[in-house]
Amino acid sequence: MASVTIAFGVSPISTITTRTKSLRKTHHKLQAHEQPRNLDVLYSSSVSVEANQNGSVIKEVVKNKATSSLSSRVVVEDEEAGLAPLWDDGYGYRTVEDYFALSKEICNFDGGPPRWFCPIESTYPSNDSPTIMFLPGMDGTGFGLSLHHQALARFFEVRCLHIPVHDRTPFEGLVKLVEEAVKLEHALSPKKPIYLVGDSLGGCLALAVAARNPTVDLILILVNPATSFARSQLQPLLPILEAIPDELHVTVPFLLSFIMGEPLKMATVNIGNGLPPTKIIEQLSNNLTSLLPCLPELADIIPKDTLLWKIKLLKSAAAYTNSRLHAVRAEVLVLASGKDNMLPSVNEAQRLASTLKNCKIRIFKDNGHTLLLEDCIGLLTIIKGTCMYRRTRRHDLVMDFIPPSMTEFRYAMDQVVGLFRSVTGSVMFSTLENGKIVKGLSGVPDEVRKVFGGVPVSASNLFKLLSTKSHVLLYPGGAREALHFKGEEYKLIWPDQPEFVRMAARFGATIVPFGVVGEDDIAEIALDYNDLMKIPILNDYIKDLNRGSVKIRDEKSGEVANQNLSFPVLLPKIPGRFYYLFGKPIRMKGMENIVKDRENANELYLQIKSQVEKNIDYLIKKREEDPYRNLIDRKMYQAFYPSQTDQTPTFKP
């Protein structure tokens, strides 16, 4: 495997934050006020879209109770410095206990018609942020998104709809309220998309508004939408709930808590993945002990008459929305829980995907109905992971890039690549300016050591990245080199044209060639593309697969342009070890003449390719001297020296 890194001496995501320099500098001026039950509540003066008594929409500055300081943290950062990779998204600082505390407080001061509020964390987003509107489920409090406020606040203007406990606005009235808010937001920022996050009942609201406004750029995120209410487990409960005496209604919340959510998932929100099992059990026990006393508060959030009303509201909402699904033109993402005991959400997600014109679905098999209050990666991560975050009508892979947060990094290390790292025992080497190879990354320029995302390989994307002084990790050989044929192990299959060299010279970037070996220590190719194409059934399947695939390279000639590929059949081996060697940096600053000099550009291109080949040859030769190349040998060493798990010795460079 061969690659080059192209870098600058600046932050890789500075382009995202340079446009926020005009942000207000007063977002640290927060005041805490004493409230009943010793609950510190943060207040903020913020812009809110709100409905008055006659249903019209006004825009005014209001005082809102926005967040609890029980388990939350408002992070104040220097806007000039920008948002660095591994930024703090705040996930885990808030728990379901905070949700209950916030919901109870707002119910104590309830009254009036449905209205919008802005959480304190979301008061000062960047100037170009789109708006995200949260439409609540049965609880109506608007705090169902509270675990995600801090992360979303960096990239959205967050608005939450609050439906007071004793409000009896019919579904059509709620649709009109949300629709007016959407129209106002669209009039203020016609070039930005508007996100509607609809939870259960809110999912029906979002779809109904989208059906009535097909020309507005809407992105819908539906969380276990109640469009399937006709098949809900709550239907048979309605006569029973009506017959329960008022004095026994306090028992209903316990029933609802198990129907609506997964208590274990709620209790694991702030438990880290990397903790020892005993510590996880201890913290989980403590969280459950703290959570259970909160459940009776559901009786205050959803009293008996409100519960009966909400169930009837769900019925009318589902009927209204399902009759208008054909008119929905918005981009839709459905999040469905596999353990939803209230609605058949997985089946409904599949139905909506087949009914709506532009719909994706994601299944969370171990979560319950209250998905947004349970343990998962986070809503912002889901939006990013489905490529649904954009600031304008068109998705720009470069300008809309969001750097990974610390929560995402830890999840990836613990749950995704943790086993791979343990099995491969990766070793890093780099080359100093004097040509000496050393263990570690001291030879790699500081500005290159980064966390990166991924975009399709094209000249336009490469130009955008370099023009905004972003770092680029480029695999010139692409899929053709990665899915090589028999006998092509560690063979470089690069494009014919040295375009990335000329582009790097144009922007004065630094190129760091590097090579990786070790894949042949994991598996051996039994059948490659050529072998598979000789099998009649597989031949037709591979042709159909390649015919409908998206070409992510724009090469016109050469081996890289040959993208009729398929995954080879592999025979696993006892894993060996992966080795990385970064070559001597090639600084392109001051070499602008190469941009127009194709001959010199091609010469430098071949020089870089030769350096990568030398890196690979060096690693193939030197790994024979590694006493711990074999997995069994490494594990035995780690068993005897457990404190040095990440420092298992290797060959001397």
Side-chain angles (χ1 to χ4, degrees):
M1 184 183 298
S3 175
V4 294
T5 300
I6 308 174
F8 298 86
V10 296
S11 168
I13 40 72
S14 60
T15 55
I16 295 175
T17 54
T18 52
R19 298 186 295 276
T20 69
K21 293 181 179 179
S22 61
L23 289 180
R24 292 155 290 214
K25 303 298 181 181
T26 58
H27 69 297
H28 62 283
K29 297 178 181 178
L30 304 174
Q31 295 181 337
H33 300 269
E34 291 297 323
Q35 292 293 328
R37 299 173 64 248
N38 296 318
L39 175 64
D40 291 333
V41 181
L42 297 178
Y43 289 82
S44 171
S45 178
S46 63
V47 176
S48 173
V49 180
E50 187 168 342
N52 60 18
Q53 293 290 346
N54 60 18
S56 63
V57 176
I58 57 176
K59 191 171 185 180
E60 62 179 14
V61 176
V62 295
K63 290 285 185 179
N64 288 321
K65 279 189 287 293
T67 88
S68 163
S69 62
L70 287 176
S71 301
S72 64
R73 190 170 74 175
V74 178
V75 178
V76 180
E77 292 186 351
D78 181 7
E79 295 292 348
E80 302 290 335
L83 185 62
L86 306 187
W87 55 282
D88 184 2
D89 62 7
Y91 189 78
Y93 296 142
R94 277 222 183 132
T95 66
V96 181
E97 295 175 62
D98 299 317
Y99 159 78
F100 279 113
L102 289 166
S103 298
K104 187 172 183 180
E105 286 297 324
I106 202 170
C107 289
N108 289 341
F109 296 91
D110 226 346
R115 51 194 177 271
W116 299 91
F117 69 87
C118 173
I120 192 70
E121 301 96 330
S122 308
T123 306
Y124 300 100
S126 61
N127 287 339
D128 60 349
S129 296
T131 296
I132 189 168
M133 297 181 172
F134 176 64
L135 311 177
M138 285 184 63
D139 66 314
T141 63
F143 286 115
L145 205 60
S146 57
L147 272 61
H148 312 269
H149 282 167
Q150 187 164 314
L152 293 172
R154 303 297 190 97
F155 308 100
F156 292 97
E157 291 191 24
V158 183
R159 304 285 182 262
C160 301
L161 179 63
H162 171 63
I163 305 174
V165 171
H166 300 293
D167 178 76
R168 296 297 180 263
T169 303
F171 183 72
E172 291 83 351
L174 295 176
V175 171
K176 182 179 179 182
L177 172 67
V178 177
E179 182 179 50
E180 290 298 323
V182 165
K183 288 181 177 179
L184 175 59
E185 193 63 42
H186 179 63
L188 293 172
S189 303
K191 296 182 180 180
K192 294 181 183 179
I194 300 172
Y195 288 73
L196 298 181
V197 179
D199 186 9
S200 188
L201 170 65
C204 294
L205 269 175
L207 285 167
V209 171
R212 290 164 58 102
N213 297 271
T215 60
V216 178
D217 186 10
L218 294 175
I219 299 176
L220 310 186
I221 301 174
L222 312 178
V223 184
N224 298 320
T227 45
S228 63
F229 184 73
R231 306 187 302 279
S232 169
Q233 290 88 326
L234 282 183
Q235 289 272 20
L237 291 178
L238 187 57
I240 299 175
L241 293 173
E242 290 176 336
I244 291 179
D246 292 342
E247 57 271 18
L248 295 181
H249 181 69
V250 71
T251 63
V252 174
F254 288 98
L255 174 63
L256 284 179
S257 66
F258 287 96
I259 290 179
M260 296 178 66
E262 284 288 312
L264 284 176
K265 282 289 183 181
M266 291 182 177
T268 55
V269 166
N270 62 343
I271 299 179
N273 293 315
L275 295 176
T278 55
K279 188 67 176 178
I280 292 177
I281 294 173
E282 178 185 350
Q283 194 167 340
L284 178 60
S285 176
N286 293 335
N287 289 354
L288 282 172
T289 302
S290 301
L291 176 62
L292 291 176
C294 296
L295 297 182
E297 295 178 2
L298 275 173
D300 298 323
I301 298 172
I302 313 178
K304 179 181 177 181
D305 59 335
T306 299
L307 178 60
L308 295 174
W309 165 256
K310 289 292 177 68
I311 293 177
K312 294 177 181 177
L313 188 64
L314 285 172
K315 185 176 181 180
S316 64
Y320 181 99
T321 305
N322 281 318
S323 66
R324 291 164 173 79
L325 289 179
H326 64 279
V328 176
R329 298 292 182 270
E331 190 176 352
V332 181
L333 171 63
V334 183
L335 309 181
S337 297
K339 293 185 178 179
D340 189 343
N341 296 319
M342 179 177 168
L343 298 170
S345 292
V346 173
N347 291 338
E348 182 64 6
Q350 294 167 346
R351 183 183 78 92
L352 291 174
S354 63
T355 303
L356 301 175
K357 298 182 181 300
N358 187 9
C359 181
K360 305 175 184 176
I361 65 174
R362 293 295 182 272
I363 308 298
F364 298 82
K365 61 184 181 68
D366 296 322
N367 289 82
H369 184 70
T370 53
L371 176 63
L372 295 176
L373 291 174
E374 299 176 12
D375 181 35
C376 54
I377 300 176
L379 184 58
L380 179 63
T381 302
I382 296 169
I383 294 173
K384 289 166 52 180
T386 51
C387 295
M388 296 187 72
Y389 181 76
R390 52 186 172 89
R391 294 176 172 88
T392 60
R393 286 189 173 273
R394 296 186 62 182
H395 184 206
D396 190 312
L397 291 168
V398 176
M399 302 307 294
D400 292 331
F401 173 70
I402 298 177
S405 68
M406 180 58 74
T407 301
E408 294 167 341
F409 176 76
R410 287 173 177 165
Y411 178 86
M413 291 297 102
D414 294 338
Q415 303 294 323
V416 181
V417 301
L419 178 60
F420 178 81
R421 292 175 65 207
S422 174
V423 169
T424 59
S426 301
V427 185
M428 301 279 185
F429 298 91
S430 58
T431 307
L432 302 178
E433 292 288 346
N434 61 8
K436 182 181 179 181
I437 298 175
V438 296
K439 186 178 179 181
L441 298 178
S442 57
V444 179
D446 290 340
E447 61 267 23
V448 181
R449 298 179 224 168
K450 68 199 179 293
V451 181
F452 50 87
V455 297
V457 179
S458 68
S460 60
N461 281 336
L462 187 60
F463 182 88
K464 286 180 182 178
L465 289 166
L466 294 179
S467 64
T468 55
K469 295 190 179 298
S470 298
H471 302 325
V472 179
L473 180 68
L474 175 66
Y475 291 90
R480 174 62 182 87
E481 185 178 282
L483 303 176
H484 54 258
F485 305 155
K486 290 179 180 178
E488 293 183 340
E489 290 80 6
Y490 304 121
K491 176 184 177 182
L492 267 60
I493 306 171
W494 283 19
D496 295 336
Q497 302 299 322
E499 293 306 316
F500 80 83
V501 172
R502 299 172 66 203
M503 209 171 289
R506 174 174 180 173
F507 294 103
T510 298
I511 297 177
V512 183
F514 75 94
V516 186
V517 304
E519 62 183 63
D520 60 336
D521 268 354
I522 292 181
E524 179 181 355
I525 297 178
L527 298 174
D528 63 11
Y529 172 80
N530 295 322
D531 296 325
L532 295 174
M533 290 299 289
K534 295 176 182 177
I535 303 175
I537 297 177
L538 293 179
N539 182 302
D540 296 336
Y541 174 77
I542 294 172
K543 286 182 179 179
D544 291 340
L545 190 66
N546 280 282
R547 190 178 299 117
S549 65
V550 177
K551 302 296 183 182
I552 61 173
R553 299 295 294 258
D554 57 4
E555 301 297 329
K556 301 298 188 297
S557 63
E559 273 295 296
V560 175
N562 177 20
Q563 295 191 42
N564 290 324
L565 306 173
S566 66
F567 286 97
V569 176
L570 302 175
L571 295 177
K573 296 181 178 180
I574 297 177
R577 201 169 193 178
F578 270 58
Y579 304 86
Y580 298 75
L581 173 56
F582 292 82
K584 184 179 178 179
I586 302 171
R587 305 188 185 278
M588 305 294 291
K589 191 172 183 179
M591 301 176 66
E592 290 80 4
N593 61 307
I594 289 182
V595 176
K596 296 183 179 180
D597 191 335
R598 290 183 176 271
E599 185 176 343
N600 281 338
N602 190 62
E603 183 179 341
L604 181 57
Y605 179 73
L606 295 176
Q607 178 185 334
I608 295 171
K609 184 177 180 181
S610 175
Q611 182 60 56
V612 173
E613 291 173 332
K614 289 179 180 178
N615 290 343
I616 293 175
D617 292 341
Y618 173 87
L619 293 174
I620 291 175
K621 177 182 178 181
K622 294 292 289 186
R623 69 178 176 177
E624 299 296 332
E625 303 174 14
D626 186 354
Y628 301 103
R629 177 182 171 187
N630 187 278
L631 173 65
I632 297 175
D633 295 329
R634 285 200 307 279
K635 290 305 177 184
M636 290 182 63
Y637 176 88
Q638 292 168 7
F640 284 104
Y641 303 97
S643 62
Q644 301 183 32
T645 299
D646 293 330
Q647 301 177 9
T648 306
T650 185
F651 61 81
K652 293 183 179 181

